[in-house]
Amino acid sequence: MCRSIKTLRPPVLPEEATEEDIRAAALQYVRKISGFRAPAAHNREVFDRAVDAVAEATAELLAGLEVKGQRGQKGQKG
């Protein structure tokens, strides 16, 4: 149904995750758990809200992680 979600933190990702990376991962997650690649029209709003919420939570998580003694990823905003 969808590709695997990749790790978005250093050192796995050589550079900071972009908003596009975070949104793509959120979309893949929502697709996977909903079972829909694209929602029907009557489910579009709730699907999009879920993607937004997962993207926001992901950005917050990445910003707060401590990796190799450094706190979070500089420049990431929720």
Side-chain angles (χ1 to χ4, degrees), residues 18-75:
T18 64
E19 287 184 33
E20 183 179 318
D21 293 329
I22 291 169
R23 181 110 183 133
L27 178 59
Q28 291 302 324
Y29 177 79
V30 172
R31 285 177 173 171
K32 188 65 155 181
I33 62 168
S34 70
F36 296 109
R37 177 160 171 38
H42 62 276
N43 287 326
R44 170 60 64 188
E45 185 177 336
V46 71
F47 189 92
D48 289 345
R49 280 196 320 258
V51 172
D52 292 342
V54 171
E56 184 177 331
T58 301
E60 184 178 329
L61 171 67
L62 292 173
L65 289 176
E66 291 186 31
V67 180
K68 293 189 178 182
Q70 293 185 354
R71 181 164 173 79
Q73 295 185 359
K74 295 177 187 171

Side-chain angles (χ1 to χ4, degrees), residues 6-24:
K6 65 182 181 177
T7 301
L8 296 180
R9 65 159 180 81
V12 177
L13 192 65
E15 297 192 11
E16 294 177 2
T18 64
E19 287 184 33
E20 183 179 318
D21 293 329
I22 291 169
R23 181 110 183 133

